[in-house]
Amino acid sequence: FAFQKCYNATLSTEEKIKAPPMVYIAGEEMTHYCMNLIIDQWVKPYFEIDEWEHFDLSCRSRDLSNDQVLHDAVEAGKKLG
């Protein structure tokens, strides 16, 4: 019966759960597209993600920043532990 109670539970979009700080790293084309769908449809409606740091580690972004975006993402991860 405990499973049934858990299975029937739903989250309300009226009150979001505060997500802990996180380093969110976006990658290349299809994974980037898929993760945006997941974030937009399954995370943002239910969680506050204001404390997440976002980094685009696509080849283009790394090339344009001379890999600085990669170093910034690593440093952000170190701060979180």
Side-chain angles (χ1 to χ4, degrees):
F1 293 111
F3 171 74
Q4 188 176 22
K5 288 179 186 178
C6 180
Y7 183 78
N8 291 330
T10 58
L11 290 173
S12 168
T13 56
E14 294 174 15
E15 186 177 329
K16 293 182 178 183
I17 298 169
K18 186 169 179 66
M22 184 175 92
V23 175
Y24 177 79
I25 296 174
E28 292 299 327
E29 298 178 24
M30 281 310 292
T31 54
H32 187 88
Y33 175 77
C34 292
M35 285 308 299
N36 281 344
L37 285 175
I38 291 169
I39 295 295
D40 291 342
Q41 293 180 13
W42 295 338
V43 176
K44 285 183 180 177
Y46 306 106
F47 298 93
E48 288 180 23
I49 59 170
D50 298 335
E51 293 189 40
W52 286 13
E53 292 188 59
H54 298 263
F55 295 93
D56 176 8
L57 294 186
S58 64
C59 290
R60 185 178 197 290
S61 177
R62 292 193 321 263
D63 287 347
L64 290 174
S65 71
N66 198 29
D67 284 336
Q68 185 59 49
V69 68
L70 175 62
H71 299 291
D72 294 345
V74 170
E75 287 304 313
K78 286 180 183 178
K79 283 190 244 174
L80 292 178

